[in-house]
Amino acid sequence: MNLPTTLKSRLFLVFGSLMVIVMFIASIIVFEKMKSLILEKHLESAQRVTHMGTIPLVDGLLAAETGGTLPVDYYERSLRTLMKQSKQEILYAYFLDEKGQSLLPQALNNINIINPESFKLGTSVSYQQNGWVLQTMYGVGVSTKVWGYLVLGFDAVQIHREVKQVLFLIYVTSGIVILIVLFATNIIAETMTRRLNQLSVAVDRLNLIPDSEALPESDDEIGRLATNFNQFRQRLLQSRLNIEQSERNLFQAEKLASIGRLAAGVAHEINNPLTGIRHSINNILEDDLSTVDRNQYLNLIDDALKNIESVISKLLGFSRLKGDDHSDSSINDAISTVVKLLDFSIQSKSVDFISKLDLELPPVHCNPNVLDELAMNLIMNAIDASDVGGKILCTTRFDNNNILFCIEDWGHGIRDQDLPKIFEPFFTTKDVGRGTGLGLYVTQEIVRGLGGKILLSTIPHPGAKFTIKLPATIP
Amino acid sequence: MIRSGQFYLFGLIIVIGSIMWGSYEKAVDISIDKQFLLKPIIGTEKPIRFFGVVSRYTPREIYEGYQPIMDFLTKNTPFKFVLKLSDTYTGTAKQLGDGTIAVASLGSFVYVKYKEQYDLEVILKPLNQQGNGFYHSMFIALKNSPISSLSDLKNRSIVFPSRESLTGHWMPNYIFSNAGVSLVDLKKFNYSSHHTTVADKVLSGEYDAGVVKEAVAEMYKNHGLKIFHIAPKRTTIPLVVSKHTDQKTRQSIMDAFLSIDVEKPETISLLEFWDKELSYGFEKADDSDYELTRVIISQIDNNN
């Protein structure tokens, strides 16, 4: 059996239980009070009647004492008159001394038979053979002079009925009050917790879309909580925008750093055609050059310039900010572009760069710029890690709705102690000026932003293998 | 989760409901058993002495005013004192004379009248509020009555207490002597058995005026009656024994009454319930205190 865990159920249980217990105790107190009031009322009334009954008895006794003559059945008649006139039904009447013996003459003592064994002097309410009986007792006397006691037995069935009715009424009232309070408690708990639930759902579905709907606010505690939540969400949104801006700046910085590192290769790409241009111009300047040869040199110059233009175009293409527009982009195109830019570096190290690209690869829906960045960082790292004459294997393939992009090198690998830190920003094992330490960090952020994963494997051979898994855009 | 809360609550209601249902019969049990505390009857082990009181009040009033005095005497003497009433003043004197009662509070007139016949002896007389052994007979009428003097009584109705009381015996003659109004000048006159019934008859309008002893007049003053004339003072009512009363009884009664200190707080609360005429203490009395009364009675008898 589970204990209630929700606020609503706890509120309901606690208030409900408290109410039930309070009502139970209140019912007992009220009933006992009512019962005692009912008994008191009837007792008072009965005692008043009994007192009244003593008056003719005292008068008779006083008359007898001063020599007056009384009818033979004076006392009996007095008591019978009393029994007849009383609104409460009198079941029996005794005129007794303090030992319970009748003070009436034997001949008159026929109102009722007294059983001294069971008869108790005093005021009482008890259940007897004929039902409930209220018995009262009053001294027959004047001042401190007491001649005897008048004992009257009243029918108390009505008192018992009244008490039962009161108890029934209290039971019913308590039940109704409990039901009403439980119903009200449920409504209050529902009202209170509905808004908390709204807040809970909002927190659970927290998104940082700027124009998403804010929680309704009000002046009470929950309303203030909603206000605070909305403000918190706004601050979070602003922070995320700031972080995104910072990341963009970081990515651009890393890209510019990559361009710097490409400078040597670019210079080589430009320098070769320039040498050819200079050589062609020198030959053209010679006078004895035939028109055919001149045209051939001019064509060479034109080709060289086109090569330079192509290299610069690629460099500019890589370095240019292409905005935040998303489109279906090809990881293969990104790899080709980067390989061309890094061709000099690959050649200068005599690295055997093997590409196994899946030409049927579906596109990735993203900013094409980030795929260039991704490929650049991983291939450049592989080249840097490779020794002269090393080997790099670059593959792409489609597997289970994911695009897999692997760069595997047979270089010096990653030291075990560096493994936990390689994705941290500004961590680098390269010489000063040769790395910013942002390459793998930026790569990881790009992959995460695309909803993908990056895996690193350092076995089974020396070197490292980075595998990028990106969700494909299926047309 | 609300269901688990409801489950607990439902369980609680069932438990409490069961308790209430189980205790239903006990709850509606209205049994009470208050033992009647019988007032202890004091002095049951002591020898009984009867105390007589002339019928100056109704029997009930005599019990109300004198039973506390009996309790006092029983407590402060070696005897249990019991009231013995009579329907007449003379009856009490006779009881004293034949030894039925040991002591009696007689009226002055009865004492003077039967002193010799029954060999009576006055031993004490009560004091008034001022500490003197005198009282007055007072003429009363309704507060709004035009009667303001004895002369206004002509053609009016008047009621007197018992002819066996000094007031009842003396006042008709007193009115004639002081206002020249004789009984024949009155519209109506009558005698009532007790002083209090005289006051009641005036209060009810049955009679225009009445004469009662001082204690009764004072008692009814706040109940719609006014005092329009006060007769001269006379010695307060005598406490009388007879030749049948033994010395020990006589002495113990005297000792008990004379020991009353009306200044003591506990005594004040005790005397509160006594007949007002006897609630300011006592002093010794002898026959000479009633000489003037004897002269008045003699004069009246001679006139008649």
Side-chain angles (χ1 to χ4, degrees), chain A residues 114-187:
Chain A
I114 301 167
N115 179 4
E117 296 297 320
S118 62
F119 193 82
K120 279 171 75 179
L121 286 176
T123 302
S124 67
V125 180
S126 60
Y127 191 79
Q128 297 179 7
Q129 282 181 344
N130 299 328
W132 288 95
V133 176
L134 164 61
Q135 179 180 291
T136 55
M137 186 167 172
Y138 215 95
V140 178
V142 182
S143 183
T144 55
K145 174 70 177 178
V146 177
W147 284 277
Y149 298 93
L150 176 62
V151 178
L152 296 181
F154 295 86
D155 185 1
V157 171
Q158 179 59 27
I159 304 173
H160 189 244
R161 194 176 297 136
E162 271 185 49
V163 169
K164 279 172 78 175
Q165 282 171 351
V166 166
L167 183 61
F168 177 74
L169 200 65
I170 287 173
Y171 274 13
V172 170
T173 310
S174 301
I176 291 171
V177 170
I178 285 170
L179 285 178
I180 291 171
V181 170
L182 289 181
F183 183 67
T185 305
N186 194 34
I187 290 174

Side-chain angles (χ1 to χ4, degrees), chain A residues 1-6 8-9 12-13 16-18 20-21 24 27 31-32 35 39 43 54-56 58-59 62-63 65-66 98-99 120-127 132 137-139 141-147 149 156 159-160 163-164 167-168 171 174 178 182 186, chain B residues 1-10 12-17 19-42 55 58-71 80 82-88 95 273:
Chain A
M1 195 185 305
N2 292 328
L3 281 168
T5 53
T6 63
K8 182 183 173 185
S9 57
F12 191 73
L13 179 62
S17 303
L18 270 177
V20 169
I21 292 167
F24 175 61
S27 298
F31 172 68
E32 287 301 324
K35 187 166 93 170
L39 285 171
L43 212 56
T54 65
I55 294 170
V58 171
D59 288 344
L62 290 173
E65 186 161 335
T66 52
E98 68 274 11
K99 291 174 184 167
K120 279 171 75 179
L121 286 176
T123 302
S124 67
V125 180
S126 60
Y127 191 79
W132 288 95
M137 186 167 172
Y138 215 95
V142 182
S143 183
T144 55
K145 174 70 177 178
V146 177
W147 284 277
Y149 298 93
I159 304 173
H160 189 244
V163 169
K164 279 172 78 175
L167 183 61
F168 177 74
Y171 274 13
S174 301
I178 285 170
L182 289 181
N186 194 34
Chain B
M1 280 303 156
I2 188 77
R3 284 186 180 172
S4 62
Q6 284 170 337
F7 179 81
Y8 282 106
L9 197 56
F10 184 69
L12 183 67
I13 290 170
I14 292 289
V15 168
I16 288 179
I19 293 170
M20 291 173 94
W21 183 255
S23 60
Y24 180 79
E25 283 306 322
K26 189 172 168 50
V28 296
D29 183 356
I30 54 173
S31 300
I32 297 176
D33 190 7
K34 291 181 185 169
Q35 197 63 34
F36 193 91
L37 295 175
L38 298 174
K39 288 174 185 165
I41 300 168
I42 56 170
S55 58
T58 64
R60 184 180 286 274
E61 287 164 345
I62 290 173
Y63 266 103
E64 283 170 352
Y66 286 83
Q67 184 59 40
I69 298 173
M70 298 306 103
D71 295 342
K80 174 179 170 59
V82 176
L83 275 175
K84 190 83 174 173
L85 306 190
S86 172
D87 59 337
T88 60
Q95 288 172 339
F273 301 101

